[in-house]
Amino acid sequence: QNNVARSVASQWASSDPKAAAAWVASFPDGPTRDTSMQMVVSRWANDDPTGAGNFLQTLPDGKSKDRAVSSYASQISYQTPQAAAQWVNSIGDQTTRDMATQNVARSWLSTDRPAATAWLNQTGLSDAVKQTLLNAKTPVGVRTGSQVIYNTGGGASFINY
C-alpha cells in the first residue's frame, strides 16, 4: 500500500504537482508521507522551483518538511546554489541539515568554488567535514568524450575514461 501511494504521488507530480503535494500532505506522519513528499517536491522543483518553494513554506515544521526541504535544496542547487543554501538553513533537524548542506556544497563547489567556500566556512559542519568537501575532486565539466575535468582545489586535473 505504501509503495502504491508513493508511485501515485510520483506520477501525479509530473502532471499536477500542487494537487499531488496537497494529497501527500494529508497522509499521516510517517515514512510514506516523508518519502512521497520528497519525490513530489523534487519533481516540482525541477519544473517550477518557485511554486515548490512557496508550497514548502506552508508545511508545518517537522521531519517531513525537513526532508522535503532537503530534496528541494538539492534539486535547485545546480541552478541557484545561493537559494539552496538559504533553504538548507531552515532545516530544523541537525542531521538532515548537515546532509543537505553537504549536498549543496558539492554542487556549488563545482560551479563557483570561492562563493561556495565562503558559505561552507560559515556553516555548522565540523572542520573535518568541511575539509573533506573542499579537498574532494569535484567534476566541473567534460573536456572531451573520454575525459572529465576535475577541480582538486589546487587546479584542474583530467581523468581519462
Side-chain angles (χ1 to χ4, degrees):
Q1 184 178 15
N2 293 337
N3 288 338
V4 172
R6 288 190 290 258
S7 179
V8 169
S10 179
Q11 292 298 320
W12 196 359
S14 296
S15 60
D16 190 350
K18 187 174 185 177
W23 180 62
V24 170
S26 73
F27 292 3
D29 284 337
T32 301
R33 178 182 175 161
D34 295 348
T35 305
S36 298
M37 189 63 74
Q38 285 177 274
M39 286 189 297
V40 168
V41 168
S42 183
R43 284 190 176 223
W44 194 353
N46 193 44
D47 296 328
D48 178 13
T50 302
N54 289 339
F55 172 76
L56 285 173
Q57 292 176 341
T58 70
L59 293 177
D61 290 340
K63 184 178 175 182
S64 183
K65 181 177 182 175
D66 285 347
R67 289 184 174 185
V69 168
S70 177
S71 291
Y72 176 76
S74 290
Q75 187 67 34
I76 68 168
S77 68
Y78 298 100
Q79 292 82 26
T80 55
Q82 298 90 341
Q86 289 176 344
W87 277 99
V88 163
N89 291 334
S90 75
I91 296 173
D93 178 71
Q94 183 70 43
T95 302
T96 304
R97 185 173 52 249
D98 286 351
M99 293 304 296
T101 298
Q102 291 176 56
N103 289 336
V104 170
R106 283 184 198 98
S107 297
W108 199 354
L109 285 165
S110 71
T111 60
D112 186 351
R113 192 169 190 82
T117 300
W119 170 72
L120 187 59
N121 284 330
Q122 60 84 33
T123 67
L125 295 176
S126 70
D127 288 341
V129 171
K130 290 175 188 176
Q131 278 309 137
T132 299
L133 288 165
L134 292 169
N135 293 334
K137 290 185 176 184
T138 307
V140 295
V142 176
R143 184 167 191 264
T144 69
S146 62
Q147 283 188 324
V148 176
I149 303 170
Y150 282 87
N151 184 342
T152 61
S157 61
F158 301 92
I159 307 297
N160 292 313
Y161 288 96

